[in-house]
């Protein structure tokens, strides 16, 4: 595996403000958002979003880059958090299992990884 696994995605339009909850609203609950919100309603399967999530269903939190449209969600990359960010994340969320929006510190790390 490359030492810079996010490099292939550096030029992609990542939505840093799309939370997992917003993605569900946009892509799985069509019509549940409005034209004045930050994210415009999805109009077709050609509308695509790229965003990061922190997945805690495994043994350790992992960050996933997700590509979603109205038909599917595909993981483009999965990364283990650095130990300091993992500790901080677990201190905030404890043992909760789920899919979460990355913290500001994790987003900063991801931006640096994309630029590496």
């Amino acid at each position: 595996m490359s030492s810079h696994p996010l490099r292939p995605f550096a030029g992609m339009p990542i939505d840093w403000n799309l939370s997992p909850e917003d993605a569900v609203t946009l892509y799985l609950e069509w019509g549940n958002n409005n034209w004045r919100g930050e994210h415009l309603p999805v109009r077709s399967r050609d509308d695509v979003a790229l965003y990061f999530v922190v997945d805690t269903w495994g043994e350790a939190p992992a960050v996933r880059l997700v590509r979603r449209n109205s038909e599917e969600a595909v993981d483009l990359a999965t990364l283990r958090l650095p130990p300091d960010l993992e500790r901080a994340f677990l201190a905030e969320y404890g043992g909760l299992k789920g899919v979460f929006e990355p913290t500001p510190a994790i987003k900063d790390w991801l931006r640096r990884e994309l630029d590496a």
Side-chain angles (χ1 to χ4, degrees):
M1 183 159 107
S2 167
S3 62
H4 300 288
L6 292 181
R7 184 175 285 158
F9 309 105
M12 293 185 168
I14 294 169
D15 189 338
W16 293 100
N17 297 320
L18 186 61
S19 69
E21 297 86 357
D22 289 338
V24 167
T25 299
L26 286 171
Y27 291 95
L28 300 180
E29 298 175 5
W30 287 40
N32 198 20
N33 57 327
N34 66 54
W35 286 95
R36 296 179 188 198
E38 179 179 356
H39 300 98
L40 296 177
V42 171
R43 295 172 297 207
S44 77
R45 66 177 171 222
D46 296 328
D47 290 345
V48 173
L50 297 165
Y51 60 101
F52 284 101
V53 299
V54 178
D55 183 337
T56 61
W57 285 105
E59 288 185 30
V63 175
R64 293 188 287 118
L65 175 58
V66 179
R67 180 190 183 279
R68 178 180 287 280
N69 68 11
S70 60
E71 295 180 338
E72 65 181 354
V74 177
D75 293 345
L76 300 178
T78 302
L79 293 90
R80 177 94 188 251
L81 287 170
D84 59 328
L85 291 175
E86 183 177 322
R87 281 190 299 274
F89 187 86
L90 291 173
E92 184 170 341
Y93 290 94
L96 292 175
K97 297 293 184 188
V99 179
F100 301 89
E101 181 174 7
T103 64
I106 292 172
K107 287 180 184 181
D108 288 343
W109 169 68
L110 290 167
R111 284 184 178 102
R112 289 191 305 273
E113 289 295 306
L114 283 165
D115 291 336

